[in-house]
mmCIF file of all heavy atoms in Angstrom:
data_model
loop_
_atom_site.group_PDB
_atom_site.id
_atom_site.type_symbol
_atom_site.label_atom_id
_atom_site.label_comp_id
_atom_site.label_asym_id
_atom_site.label_seq_id
_atom_site.Cartn_x
_atom_site.Cartn_y
_atom_site.Cartn_z
ATOM 1 N N LEU J 14 35.027 100.234 -16.439
ATOM 2 C CA LEU J 14 33.804 101.020 -16.373
ATOM 3 C C LEU J 14 33.229 101.105 -14.908
ATOM 4 O O LEU J 14 32.734 102.160 -14.519
ATOM 5 C CB LEU J 14 32.793 100.252 -17.232
ATOM 6 C CG LEU J 14 31.277 100.773 -17.272
ATOM 7 C CD1 LEU J 14 31.347 102.184 -17.887
ATOM 8 C CD2 LEU J 14 30.410 99.844 -18.089
ATOM 9 N N ALA J 15 33.303 99.997 -14.162
ATOM 10 C CA ALA J 15 32.899 99.962 -12.775
ATOM 11 C C ALA J 15 33.645 101.081 -11.956
ATOM 12 O O ALA J 15 33.028 101.707 -11.167
ATOM 13 C CB ALA J 15 33.057 98.624 -12.139
ATOM 14 N N GLU J 21 30.461 100.276 -6.195
ATOM 15 C CA GLU J 21 31.016 99.484 -5.151
ATOM 16 C C GLU J 21 30.457 98.055 -5.131
ATOM 17 O O GLU J 21 31.016 97.110 -4.852
ATOM 18 C CB GLU J 21 30.858 100.103 -3.877
ATOM 19 C CG GLU J 21 31.595 101.480 -3.684
ATOM 20 C CD GLU J 21 31.447 102.118 -2.325
ATOM 21 O OE1 GLU J 21 30.822 101.376 -1.469
ATOM 22 O OE2 GLU J 21 31.979 103.233 -2.083
ATOM 23 N N ILE J 52 20.929 83.775 -17.500
ATOM 24 C CA ILE J 52 19.585 83.492 -18.022
ATOM 25 C C ILE J 52 19.667 82.707 -19.304
ATOM 26 O O ILE J 52 20.297 83.194 -20.295
ATOM 27 C CB ILE J 52 18.857 84.870 -18.363
ATOM 28 C CG1 ILE J 52 18.788 85.619 -17.013
ATOM 29 C CG2 ILE J 52 17.537 84.639 -18.932
ATOM 30 C CD1 ILE J 52 18.641 87.140 -17.313
ATOM 31 N N VAL J 55 24.627 79.675 -22.331
ATOM 32 C CA VAL J 55 25.492 78.688 -22.876
ATOM 33 C C VAL J 55 26.322 78.115 -21.789
ATOM 34 O O VAL J 55 26.920 78.911 -21.138
ATOM 35 C CB VAL J 55 26.334 79.391 -24.012
ATOM 36 C CG1 VAL J 55 27.451 78.310 -24.555
ATOM 37 C CG2 VAL J 55 25.513 79.766 -25.203
ATOM 38 N N PRO J 57 29.375 75.164 -20.289
ATOM 39 C CA PRO J 57 30.751 74.898 -20.756
ATOM 40 C C PRO J 57 30.845 73.589 -21.554
ATOM 41 O O PRO J 57 31.337 72.577 -21.122
ATOM 42 C CB PRO J 57 31.415 74.579 -19.354
ATOM 43 C CG PRO J 57 30.319 74.077 -18.499
ATOM 44 C CD PRO J 57 29.083 74.857 -18.943
ATOM 45 N N HIS J 71 22.565 70.424 -31.724
ATOM 46 C CA HIS J 71 23.412 71.081 -30.712
ATOM 47 C C HIS J 71 24.848 70.499 -30.835
ATOM 48 O O HIS J 71 25.903 71.242 -30.736
ATOM 49 C CB HIS J 71 22.869 70.846 -29.309
ATOM 50 C CG HIS J 71 21.710 71.713 -28.999
ATOM 51 N ND1 HIS J 71 20.763 71.329 -28.086
ATOM 52 C CD2 HIS J 71 21.445 72.970 -29.392
ATOM 53 C CE1 HIS J 71 19.896 72.305 -27.981
ATOM 54 N NE2 HIS J 71 20.241 73.288 -28.746
ATOM 55 N N PHE J 75 27.967 72.914 -31.688
ATOM 56 C CA PHE J 75 28.914 73.241 -30.651
ATOM 57 C C PHE J 75 30.206 72.483 -30.696
ATOM 58 O O PHE J 75 31.235 72.805 -30.094
ATOM 59 C CB PHE J 75 28.320 73.004 -29.182
ATOM 60 C CG PHE J 75 27.241 74.092 -28.854
ATOM 61 C CD1 PHE J 75 25.906 73.682 -28.903
ATOM 62 C CD2 PHE J 75 27.630 75.324 -28.600
ATOM 63 C CE1 PHE J 75 25.001 74.716 -28.455
ATOM 64 C CE2 PHE J 75 26.691 76.244 -28.253
ATOM 65 C CZ PHE J 75 25.371 76.008 -28.264
ATOM 66 N N VAL J 96 18.758 88.183 -43.147
ATOM 67 C CA VAL J 96 18.276 89.214 -42.227
ATOM 68 C C VAL J 96 18.197 90.526 -42.926
ATOM 69 O O VAL J 96 17.204 91.349 -42.697
ATOM 70 C CB VAL J 96 19.207 89.373 -41.061
ATOM 71 C CG1 VAL J 96 18.964 90.651 -40.257
ATOM 72 C CG2 VAL J 96 19.078 88.061 -40.140
ATOM 73 N N ARG J 97 19.128 90.871 -43.889
ATOM 74 C CA ARG J 97 19.006 92.107 -44.575
ATOM 75 C C ARG J 97 18.003 92.197 -45.653
ATOM 76 O O ARG J 97 17.253 93.168 -45.754
ATOM 77 C CB ARG J 97 20.396 92.375 -45.269
ATOM 78 C CG ARG J 97 21.565 92.745 -44.238
ATOM 79 C CD ARG J 97 22.853 92.950 -45.099
ATOM 80 N NE ARG J 97 22.772 94.099 -46.012
ATOM 81 C CZ ARG J 97 23.468 94.189 -47.106
ATOM 82 N NH1 ARG J 97 24.338 93.269 -47.419
ATOM 83 N NH2 ARG J 97 23.272 95.294 -47.881
ATOM 84 N N ALA J 106 11.862 81.765 -39.756
ATOM 85 C CA ALA J 106 12.856 80.715 -39.631
ATOM 86 C C ALA J 106 13.238 80.538 -38.164
ATOM 87 O O ALA J 106 13.489 79.371 -37.571
ATOM 88 C CB ALA J 106 14.090 80.900 -40.438
ATOM 89 N N THR J 108 11.609 81.297 -35.534
ATOM 90 C CA THR J 108 10.428 80.704 -34.727
ATOM 91 C C THR J 108 10.210 79.180 -34.996
ATOM 92 O O THR J 108 9.606 78.468 -34.158
ATOM 93 C CB THR J 108 9.093 81.406 -35.044
ATOM 94 O OG1 THR J 108 8.715 81.223 -36.417
ATOM 95 C CG2 THR J 108 9.273 82.971 -34.714
ATOM 96 N N ARG J 116 7.230 80.314 -29.018
ATOM 97 C CA ARG J 116 6.523 80.803 -30.273
ATOM 98 C C ARG J 116 5.496 81.867 -29.932
ATOM 99 O O ARG J 116 5.350 82.879 -30.557
ATOM 100 C CB ARG J 116 5.963 79.658 -31.050
ATOM 101 C CG ARG J 116 5.717 79.958 -32.541
ATOM 102 C CD ARG J 116 5.439 78.785 -33.361
ATOM 103 N NE ARG J 116 6.515 77.975 -33.349
ATOM 104 C CZ ARG J 116 6.661 76.614 -32.955
ATOM 105 N NH1 ARG J 116 5.535 75.977 -32.459
ATOM 106 N NH2 ARG J 116 7.668 75.909 -33.036
ATOM 107 N N ALA J 126 9.851 93.125 -32.618
ATOM 108 C CA ALA J 126 10.715 94.319 -33.031
ATOM 109 C C ALA J 126 12.075 94.317 -32.265
ATOM 110 O O ALA J 126 13.078 94.668 -32.917
ATOM 111 C CB ALA J 126 9.939 95.573 -32.655
ATOM 112 N N GLN J 129 14.282 91.466 -33.934
ATOM 113 C CA GLN J 129 14.769 91.847 -35.322
ATOM 114 C C GLN J 129 15.722 93.006 -35.365
ATOM 115 O O GLN J 129 16.762 92.904 -36.108
ATOM 116 C CB GLN J 129 13.455 92.209 -36.070
ATOM 117 C CG GLN J 129 12.673 91.111 -36.514
ATOM 118 C CD GLN J 129 11.503 91.499 -37.422
ATOM 119 O OE1 GLN J 129 10.808 92.378 -37.308
ATOM 120 N NE2 GLN J 129 11.468 90.687 -38.593
ATOM 121 N N ARG J 133 19.499 92.511 -36.772
ATOM 122 C CA ARG J 133 19.954 93.487 -37.885
ATOM 123 C C ARG J 133 21.192 94.277 -37.487
ATOM 124 O O ARG J 133 22.209 94.333 -38.158
ATOM 125 C CB ARG J 133 18.884 94.438 -38.213
ATOM 126 C CG ARG J 133 19.128 95.394 -39.332
ATOM 127 C CD ARG J 133 17.850 96.174 -39.656
ATOM 128 N NE ARG J 133 17.313 96.942 -38.575
ATOM 129 C CZ ARG J 133 16.197 96.701 -37.880
ATOM 130 N NH1 ARG J 133 15.435 95.620 -38.265
ATOM 131 N NH2 ARG J 133 15.779 97.471 -36.880
ATOM 132 N N GLN J 145 33.112 85.156 -33.815
ATOM 133 C CA GLN J 145 33.888 85.125 -32.523
ATOM 134 C C GLN J 145 33.156 84.548 -31.385
ATOM 135 O O GLN J 145 33.640 83.786 -30.530
ATOM 136 C CB GLN J 145 34.282 86.595 -32.205
ATOM 137 C CG GLN J 145 35.054 86.685 -30.806
ATOM 138 C CD GLN J 145 35.549 88.113 -30.536
ATOM 139 O OE1 GLN J 145 36.406 88.575 -31.168
ATOM 140 N NE2 GLN J 145 34.954 88.731 -29.543
ATOM 141 N N VAL J 163 30.976 83.971 -5.916
ATOM 142 C CA VAL J 163 29.928 85.049 -5.719
ATOM 143 C C VAL J 163 28.562 84.322 -5.665
ATOM 144 O O VAL J 163 28.395 83.308 -6.244
ATOM 145 C CB VAL J 163 29.958 86.038 -6.896
ATOM 146 C CG1 VAL J 163 31.423 86.676 -6.979
ATOM 147 C CG2 VAL J 163 29.683 85.480 -8.236
ATOM 148 N N TRP J 168 18.947 80.722 -14.234
ATOM 149 C CA TRP J 168 17.515 80.502 -14.682
ATOM 150 C C TRP J 168 17.489 79.748 -15.968
ATOM 151 O O TRP J 168 18.158 80.267 -16.982
ATOM 152 C CB TRP J 168 16.824 81.821 -14.866
ATOM 153 C CG TRP J 168 16.472 82.628 -13.598
ATOM 154 C CD1 TRP J 168 15.445 82.412 -12.766
ATOM 155 C CD2 TRP J 168 17.279 83.696 -13.090
ATOM 156 N NE1 TRP J 168 15.516 83.335 -11.749
ATOM 157 C CE2 TRP J 168 16.643 84.148 -11.928
ATOM 158 C CE3 TRP J 168 18.499 84.342 -13.557
ATOM 159 C CZ2 TRP J 168 17.147 85.224 -11.190
ATOM 160 C CZ3 TRP J 168 18.996 85.355 -12.721
ATOM 161 C CH2 TRP J 168 18.229 85.806 -11.567
ATOM 162 N N TYR J 182 22.477 73.285 -16.356
ATOM 163 C CA TYR J 182 22.353 72.629 -15.122
ATOM 164 C C TYR J 182 23.767 72.332 -14.536
ATOM 165 O O TYR J 182 24.021 72.444 -13.363
ATOM 166 C CB TYR J 182 21.547 71.400 -15.221
ATOM 167 C CG TYR J 182 20.153 71.525 -15.804
ATOM 168 C CD1 TYR J 182 19.401 70.460 -16.329
ATOM 169 C CD2 TYR J 182 19.487 72.651 -15.684
ATOM 170 C CE1 TYR J 182 18.185 70.578 -16.828
ATOM 171 C CE2 TYR J 182 18.188 72.914 -16.193
ATOM 172 C CZ TYR J 182 17.573 71.768 -16.792
ATOM 173 O OH TYR J 182 16.211 71.913 -17.310
ATOM 174 N N CYS J 191 25.698 78.727 -6.210
ATOM 175 C CA CYS J 191 24.678 79.032 -7.269
ATOM 176 C C CYS J 191 23.366 78.281 -6.984
ATOM 177 O O CYS J 191 23.330 77.085 -6.577
ATOM 178 C CB CYS J 191 25.166 78.534 -8.603
ATOM 179 S SG CYS J 191 24.152 78.880 -10.025
ATOM 180 N N LEU J 193 19.922 77.045 -8.798
ATOM 181 C CA LEU J 193 19.342 76.728 -10.063
ATOM 182 C C LEU J 193 17.821 76.878 -10.084
ATOM 183 O O LEU J 193 17.158 76.290 -9.215
ATOM 184 C CB LEU J 193 19.696 75.348 -10.506
ATOM 185 C CG LEU J 193 19.064 74.711 -11.863
ATOM 186 C CD1 LEU J 193 19.505 75.547 -13.063
ATOM 187 C CD2 LEU J 193 19.387 73.231 -12.025
ATOM 188 N N ASP J 194 17.294 77.707 -10.935
ATOM 189 C CA ASP J 194 15.870 77.953 -10.963
ATOM 190 C C ASP J 194 15.367 77.391 -12.356
ATOM 191 O O ASP J 194 15.662 78.071 -13.347
ATOM 192 C CB ASP J 194 15.571 79.374 -10.883
ATOM 193 C CG ASP J 194 14.034 79.694 -10.707
ATOM 194 O OD1 ASP J 194 13.253 78.852 -11.002
ATOM 195 O OD2 ASP J 194 13.742 80.941 -10.512
ATOM 196 N N TYR J 202 13.237 81.752 -24.645
ATOM 197 C CA TYR J 202 12.936 83.146 -24.602
ATOM 198 C C TYR J 202 11.975 83.496 -23.354
ATOM 199 O O TYR J 202 11.336 84.525 -23.558
ATOM 200 C CB TYR J 202 12.403 83.560 -25.994
ATOM 201 C CG TYR J 202 13.304 83.411 -27.101
ATOM 202 C CD1 TYR J 202 13.328 82.337 -27.863
ATOM 203 C CD2 TYR J 202 14.324 84.363 -27.366
ATOM 204 C CE1 TYR J 202 14.254 82.164 -28.933
ATOM 205 C CE2 TYR J 202 15.228 84.221 -28.340
ATOM 206 C CZ TYR J 202 15.193 83.114 -29.155
ATOM 207 O OH TYR J 202 16.123 82.980 -30.155
ATOM 208 N N LEU J 212 14.545 90.620 -12.182
ATOM 209 C CA LEU J 212 14.742 91.945 -11.551
ATOM 210 C C LEU J 212 14.410 91.913 -10.073
ATOM 211 O O LEU J 212 15.180 92.584 -9.297
ATOM 212 C CB LEU J 212 13.800 93.071 -12.195
ATOM 213 C CG LEU J 212 14.057 93.375 -13.642
ATOM 214 C CD1 LEU J 212 13.081 94.414 -14.120
ATOM 215 C CD2 LEU J 212 15.504 93.895 -13.813
ATOM 216 N N THR J 221 20.617 93.845 -0.029
ATOM 217 C CA THR J 221 21.128 93.049 1.134
ATOM 218 C C THR J 221 22.291 93.691 1.817
ATOM 219 O O THR J 221 23.188 94.150 1.152
ATOM 220 C CB THR J 221 21.469 91.623 0.726
ATOM 221 O OG1 THR J 221 20.329 90.933 0.117
ATOM 222 C CG2 THR J 221 21.930 90.824 1.956
#
Side-chain angles (χ1 to χ4, degrees):
L14 179 61
E21 295 182 3
I52 302 159
V55 172
H71 282 148
F75 288 109
V96 167
R97 288 180 61 207
T108 64
R116 201 166 293 123
Q129 283 190 312
R133 185 171 60 249
Q145 177 175 289
V163 302
W168 290 275
Y182 303 158
C191 185
L193 174 63
D194 187 352
Y202 297 97
L212 292 181
T221 302

